[in-house]
Amino acid sequence: MPDLLNLPGYRVIDLDDDGYQYTMLVETVDPRPERCCLFQEGNLVKNGSKKNQHFRDAPIHGRVVVVFLDRQRYSCKACGDTLYEILPGVCSTRDMTKRLVDYIYPRSFERTFTEIAKDVGLDEGTIRDVFNGEVMRRLRDGGIETPEILGIDEK
């Protein structure tokens, strides 16, 4: 099957195209667990159960993209904590890829949140939250460029 998703760390297993949305079933290429507080080699074992999860990605061919996967669960023999495998390229605070965040942010300066929400298949409030979160992150990291010279015509 062709890798339409083109997201490192994932392999597309199944693809459904209804003309409006691509729905993909994927698996991770190299599943690795998150780090436990007492992480030592050999302490983490597969729990056996998997969690069905989905996330959004940037539009492909003008279609909304929803990605489904079964996320492996792990248990730590040392502390008993339960962890999940790392999802490469997915924001830890949102059910979307970093690529989708990078898609939303610059377009928010040119289009309305509602228009972008329609393009990516999310709620307008979610688009606003992503934009505000990126603005705050960039302000904190010093990544917003401001003009050195500001010219004002007329009054």
Side-chain angles (χ1 to χ4, degrees), residues 12-147:
V12 178
I13 299 170
D14 192 25
L15 171 67
D16 181 42
D17 177 10
D18 66 5
Y20 167 75
Q21 172 176 300
Y22 284 126
T23 304
M24 299 182 195
L25 178 62
V26 302
E27 65 183 2
T28 51
V29 175
D30 182 25
R32 290 175 292 133
E34 297 171 344
R35 290 196 167 258
C36 177
C37 58
L38 301 173
F39 183 77
Q40 294 175 355
E41 205 60 44
N43 275 351
L44 294 175
V45 293
K46 287 185 178 179
N47 187 303
S49 59
K50 293 186 177 185
K51 176 183 178 183
N52 191 307
Q53 191 169 345
H54 75 280
F55 57 88
R56 303 283 179 140
D57 192 22
I60 301 173
H61 304 136
R63 291 181 173 92
V64 171
V65 176
V66 182
V67 180
F68 288 88
L69 78 152
D70 289 328
R71 193 172 183 189
Q72 180 63 54
R73 211 165 91 159
Y74 294 88
S75 293
C76 176
K77 292 189 282 185
C79 70
D81 206 2
T82 302
L83 310 161
Y84 285 94
E85 71 179 292
I86 296 170
L87 298 181
V90 176
C91 288
S92 58
T93 57
R94 304 180 187 281
D95 289 332
M96 66 179 66
T97 61
K98 295 171 185 169
R99 187 165 61 184
L100 180 55
V101 172
D102 293 341
Y103 177 89
I104 292 169
Y105 181 71
R107 285 166 180 77
S108 299
F109 293 104
E110 302 163 357
R111 303 175 62 209
T112 66
F113 292 154
T114 304
E115 291 171 337
I116 299 168
K118 184 179 177 189
D119 288 349
V120 299
L122 292 170
D123 184 67
E124 177 265 336
T126 303
I127 303 301
R128 185 182 322 110
D129 289 345
V130 168
F131 177 77
N132 290 337
E134 274 299 292
V135 167
M136 296 308 291
R137 185 187 67 77
R138 290 171 190 240
L139 282 172
R140 187 176 54 248
D141 296 346
I144 294 182
E145 292 183 29
T146 56

